[in-house]
Amino acid sequence: MIISEVVELTKLTKKAIRYYESVELIKSSVLANGYRDYSKEIVEKLRIIKNLRELSFSIDEIKEAFKDEVSLINSLSLKAKQLELNKDILSNQIDIINNIVNNNLKITDIDNFENNINKVNGKNSLKIGTLLQKVFPGDFGQIISAAYSPFLNETILSSKQKETFESLVIELDNIDQITIPEELLLWARNHNNEEAIKYNFNRMKSEYSDDYDEFSEKKKNLIKEYLENSNEKTKFYTNLDLITFLSKEGSPVIEILGKYLPLLSKTYEQFYLKQERFLKENDELINKLNK
């Protein structure tokens, strides 16, 4: 079957499926017409991968779990012990894993395994940034989360927000792949931990509560400082570097997030209105930034 059919069956994004293939968790074949062909077995494996990722398994841990049934149970037991360290935050995942281990549930019984996860996860709402990195594992999710981290610490609660998020994911999943410079990617990875995201959220929330004149002045100074230092051989990267890169190389990303993120994040909505006005009033400065 082709990738669009796999997306429908697994509820994974195309980018996630391609990522799992790039790290050799799955391997498709290539048809005569050049399209990749995914077997029923691959679909079942992807569903298992999705479930294990819901339980915070890393790629290496999943590879270990796939060796055999004994390895799987050992991996689940080890993961339960690791999660005990953060029980207050991850108690729901621990309960699922212990239930699977204690009742000798087979991971190949996908529906039963999935129902256990959904039953607990359905009670909990997740932050926008966490959800984005779940549906877009790998570089793409990392770069978006780091670039927009101050606005992704809010939680999706309403059914309307869930629908909006689903539309955001569909449109992002259908844009072309973006080649991300290694130095920016390294910066993104280092600034995607919970502590850094929380810090950025609190800092930016305060900044964007300024009235427009204060906002505009800070923004001009930030861009001017960035332009003055952007040619240095050694520099500290910032969110502005990522946004500038996406503006040049991944403009559809900027457009799609500009379309949906104001509906998901109150912080971004406040920023977006000021940003739109700022862009209209500072064409010359923005043109310098985009060169």
Side-chain angles (χ1 to χ4, degrees), residues 2 57 60 110 119 154 167 225:
I2 60 176
F57 273 67
D60 287 340
I110 299 171
K119 187 182 295 182
E154 298 183 46
S167 297
E225 182 180 354

mmCIF file of all heavy atoms in Angstrom, residues 2 57 60 110 119 154 167 225:
data_model
loop_
_atom_site.group_PDB
_atom_site.id
_atom_site.type_symbol
_atom_site.label_atom_id
_atom_site.label_comp_id
_atom_site.label_asym_id
_atom_site.label_seq_id
_atom_site.Cartn_x
_atom_site.Cartn_y
_atom_site.Cartn_z
ATOM 1 N N ILE A 2 0.350 2.361 -0.485
ATOM 2 C CA ILE A 2 1.123 3.602 -0.557
ATOM 3 C C ILE A 2 1.028 4.344 0.773
ATOM 4 O O ILE A 2 0.200 4.013 1.630
ATOM 5 C CB ILE A 2 0.651 4.487 -1.719
ATOM 6 C CG1 ILE A 2 -0.833 4.861 -1.550
ATOM 7 C CG2 ILE A 2 0.894 3.802 -3.043
ATOM 8 C CD1 ILE A 2 -1.338 5.828 -2.613
ATOM 9 N N PHE A 57 9.294 5.662 24.852
ATOM 10 C CA PHE A 57 10.417 4.860 24.404
ATOM 11 C C PHE A 57 11.228 5.634 23.372
ATOM 12 O O PHE A 57 10.660 6.243 22.458
ATOM 13 C CB PHE A 57 9.933 3.545 23.771
ATOM 14 C CG PHE A 57 9.720 2.426 24.759
ATOM 15 C CD1 PHE A 57 8.715 2.502 25.711
ATOM 16 C CD2 PHE A 57 10.521 1.308 24.729
ATOM 17 C CE1 PHE A 57 8.509 1.481 26.614
ATOM 18 C CE2 PHE A 57 10.330 0.269 25.631
ATOM 19 C CZ PHE A 57 9.323 0.354 26.591
ATOM 20 N N ASP A 60 16.269 3.912 20.085
ATOM 21 C CA ASP A 60 17.155 2.806 20.446
ATOM 22 C C ASP A 60 16.434 1.781 21.321
ATOM 23 O O ASP A 60 16.644 0.566 21.173
ATOM 24 C CB ASP A 60 18.399 3.330 21.180
ATOM 25 C CG ASP A 60 19.368 4.042 20.243
ATOM 26 O OD1 ASP A 60 19.282 3.793 19.012
ATOM 27 O OD2 ASP A 60 20.177 4.843 20.721
ATOM 28 N N ILE A 110 -2.511 -5.691 19.107
ATOM 29 C CA ILE A 110 -2.400 -4.244 18.968
ATOM 30 C C ILE A 110 -3.618 -3.514 19.525
ATOM 31 O O ILE A 110 -3.499 -2.506 20.219
ATOM 32 C CB ILE A 110 -2.173 -3.857 17.489
ATOM 33 C CG1 ILE A 110 -0.873 -4.492 16.988
ATOM 34 C CG2 ILE A 110 -2.098 -2.347 17.315
ATOM 35 C CD1 ILE A 110 -0.663 -4.355 15.499
ATOM 36 N N LYS A 119 -7.127 4.777 26.867
ATOM 37 C CA LYS A 119 -7.999 4.922 28.034
ATOM 38 C C LYS A 119 -7.415 5.909 29.042
ATOM 39 O O LYS A 119 -8.104 6.727 29.622
ATOM 40 C CB LYS A 119 -8.202 3.562 28.702
ATOM 41 C CG LYS A 119 -9.227 3.570 29.831
ATOM 42 C CD LYS A 119 -9.334 2.197 30.473
ATOM 43 C CE LYS A 119 -9.877 1.181 29.508
ATOM 44 N NZ LYS A 119 -10.029 -0.158 30.135
ATOM 45 N N GLU A 154 1.134 26.099 26.071
ATOM 46 C CA GLU A 154 -0.277 26.075 26.435
ATOM 47 C C GLU A 154 -0.891 24.722 26.095
ATOM 48 O O GLU A 154 -0.372 23.960 25.278
ATOM 49 C CB GLU A 154 -1.014 27.216 25.728
ATOM 50 C CG GLU A 154 -0.484 28.589 26.142
ATOM 51 C CD GLU A 154 -1.248 29.733 25.500
ATOM 52 O OE1 GLU A 154 -2.489 29.694 25.490
ATOM 53 O OE2 GLU A 154 -0.595 30.664 24.999
ATOM 54 N N SER A 167 -5.920 20.110 11.761
ATOM 55 C CA SER A 167 -5.763 20.805 10.478
ATOM 56 C C SER A 167 -4.338 21.317 10.314
ATOM 57 O O SER A 167 -3.752 21.244 9.220
ATOM 58 C CB SER A 167 -6.747 21.978 10.387
ATOM 59 O OG SER A 167 -8.087 21.527 10.426
ATOM 60 N N GLU A 225 20.374 44.257 16.424
ATOM 61 C CA GLU A 225 21.471 43.558 17.100
ATOM 62 C C GLU A 225 21.790 42.251 16.376
ATOM 63 O O GLU A 225 22.954 41.888 16.199
ATOM 64 C CB GLU A 225 21.082 43.272 18.551
ATOM 65 C CG GLU A 225 22.183 42.591 19.347
ATOM 66 C CD GLU A 225 21.764 42.325 20.778
ATOM 67 O OE1 GLU A 225 20.666 42.762 21.181
ATOM 68 O OE2 GLU A 225 22.522 41.656 21.488
#
